[in-house]
Structure formats: C-alpha cells, structure tokens
Amino acid sequence: PKPYIAFMDGVVMGGGMGISQGAKLRIVTPRTKMAMPETNIGLFPDVGGGWFLARCPRHGGVWLALASEVIGAGDALALQLADVCFDAARIGEAWDALAGLADFDATRLESWQRNYITVAPAAALPLDTIARCFEQPDVLRVVQALEKESGEWAASTVKALRAHSPLMLEVTLQQIRRGAGMSLADELRMERDMVRHCFNTRHLDRYMAATDTMEGIRALVIDKDRAPKWLPARLEEVTPAMVDGFFVSPWPAHAHPLRELA
C-alpha cells in the first residue's frame, strides 16, 4: 500500500525492472538503458515480468522478453514501461526537492514532476512489425513471420531469437500469455514454480548442470565462451509437452512457498 517512485536513470534490467514497475511514478531519462535480458542465459523474465510485460501494448512486452534487447526512454514510454522522462542532469536536484516536500499528495507530486520533465528521445521500435509478428502462437511461428519481413531489424531479431534457448523461449512466451490473465500474486506463484523447473527439470529428466539455464549461465557468465549447447538445439524440435511441464507446480497449493501472497 505504500506508494513509491522509481528513478530509472541509467541501467535498469532484470531485478531493477521488477522493483520499478510497481511504482506509482516510473521516471526514465535520456540515458536509461532498459531490458529484461534473462532469455540470454536460458532463464525467463522473472521478478513479475510475466505480469508487466504481458500488459505492454502491441505485443511489445513479448518482443522485449524473447529478444532480450535494450531500449531507451522513448521506447520505454511507448511500451508503457515508464510514465515520464526527466532531464538526467537535474536528477539530483529533483531528488533533493522531493525529499523536501512537506507532503506527498497527488497535487504536490504533480507540481514537483512538472519542474523536471524533458522531451524523451524518439521511440525507435517498429511497433507495427512487432504487433504483426509477435502475436503468433509459438516462437517458431514468430521467427517464420519475421523471416517474411524485409529490413535489418527483422533479420537481426531472427538472429537473436535463434541464438537463445529454444526451449526457454517457448516457456517464456507461454509465461507471458498465461500472465496476461492472472493476478500479480498468481503470476509470481507461477514464476516460483518455473524457476524450480529451470534448475531441476524433472519432467525432462534434466538436473542442475544439465539444464538449459545452467548451460546458459556457464556460457555467458562463467566460461564466457558464448557457445551454449541448448537442448533441444532448434525451435523446430521443441514440443508442447516439454513446455507444459514448466507450468505444473512442484508443490500442492497448501505448501506453496508463496501461498500467503495476496
């Protein structure tokens, strides 16, 4: 119930997004670099990503989750992941002025923010293309739709998607599709189930180092060879049964670690 304000100035990724997206006011600046990069390591956009990315317009959140690309302030505003752009050079001044307010009612906060608003950099995302391609029912068909598009953006997006874990891309897409119809509490419970499966994928008889998540961490964080060996290796080999197992809770409802989350 306590309102808070997120200053998303600079790098805002992963957990930074998770704690910022629930804010009453989400502030970006021209130097904001925003992303949900989890699919780079064979994970999924956690920290509530399946809830707030599902609510971005025109399937923009699906693109952000699957491609793991970085966006700036203009695109953050276009995807409704931010509310206002502040002048980066005046962030310190804005912070001090906020701390000096006698009260934090809506009128005072609106007056305060008007002093620091600046024009955001122009949005650059091809939202028409994203809406057309990322509405597809699975990632393989997203890629196939992108391959029919002309231009460098579509080609580079296909390249990025083909480099990520095929299995975890399909899991991520289903997470966001399911999250669109969930409460935040239920979506976070689902994420807790999913992360358990990421490191102990029992329905595929894969555990710890044998999972795509651990392989992604090895390739990008530990060995840094950037040559993960995904299993399966291609989107064409992912089956619905492989994906569905990630959404079966390892716990009965009465024993779930987040059972009391409202």
Side-chain angles (χ1 to χ4, degrees):
K2 181 181 288 293
Y4 63 98
I5 295 171
F7 285 77
M8 299 189 289
D9 178 39
V11 176
V12 188
M13 300 183 184
M17 285 282 280
I19 61 173
S20 296
Q21 287 304 314
K24 181 179 180 65
L25 179 65
R26 300 164 300 170
I27 301 164
V28 288
T29 75
R31 62 189 180 192
T32 294
K33 296 183 183 301
M34 180 182 288
M36 291 299 287
E38 290 83 359
T39 55
N40 275 325
I41 58 167
L43 193 60
F44 62 89
D46 55 352
V47 296
W51 193 87
F52 61 78
L53 293 176
R55 286 154 176 79
C56 293
R58 312 197 73 188
H59 304 288
V62 177
W63 166 77
L64 197 65
L66 298 181
S68 289
E69 297 289 351
V70 177
I71 60 173
D75 288 318
L77 290 164
L79 293 181
Q80 297 178 14
L81 294 170
D83 301 304
V84 67
C85 184
F86 273 20
D87 182 349
R90 300 184 67 198
I91 284 292
E93 180 187 342
W95 182 265
D96 291 341
L98 177 65
L101 292 182
D103 199 351
F104 300 100
D105 59 84
T107 300
R108 284 186 175 87
L109 285 175
E110 288 172 7
S111 177
W112 164 77
Q113 66 176 286
R114 281 197 298 270
N115 292 323
Y116 306 102
I117 291 174
T118 190
V119 177
L125 287 177
L127 290 179
D128 288 344
T129 304
I130 289 173
R132 186 164 55 246
C133 295
F134 284 82
E135 68 176 358
Q136 303 300 323
D138 56 57
V139 183
L140 177 58
R141 278 180 272 195
V142 168
V143 168
Q144 291 170 341
L146 285 165
E147 288 173 338
K148 296 176 183 177
E149 298 285 337
S150 61
E152 182 179 341
W153 184 90
S156 65
T157 303
V158 168
K159 183 178 180 181
L161 295 178
R162 286 292 190 183
H164 297 165
S165 163
L167 173 60
M168 293 311 299
L169 284 181
E170 294 289 7
V171 169
T172 294
L173 179 59
Q174 287 304 310
Q175 172 206 5
I176 295 174
R177 294 282 161 78
R178 292 170 184 243
M182 289 181 165
S183 68
L184 178 57
D186 284 341
E187 198 280 331
L188 290 171
R189 275 186 279 270
M190 178 178 71
E191 288 186 7
R192 184 64 185 87
D193 297 341
M194 293 170 66
V195 80
R196 175 69 174 267
H197 291 303
C198 282
F199 293 97
N200 291 280
T201 318
R202 293 179 180 273
H203 68 286
L204 299 179
D205 198 28
R206 297 172 63 188
Y207 304 94
M208 299 306 290
T211 64
D212 269 17
T213 302
M214 287 292 283
E215 173 61 7
I217 293 170
R218 180 206 65 77
L220 276 84
V221 180
I222 300 173
D223 296 338
K224 299 182 181 179
D225 58 20
R226 294 190 172 271
K229 296 177 175 60
W230 305 124
L231 184 65
R234 303 174 68 245
L235 283 165
E236 288 81 355
E237 299 169 2
V238 180
T239 67
M242 292 177 182
V243 175
D244 291 344
F246 283 83
F247 299 95
V248 177
S249 181
W251 300 279
H254 71 273
H256 196 283
L258 299 181
R259 61 189 176 277
E260 296 179 2
L261 190 65

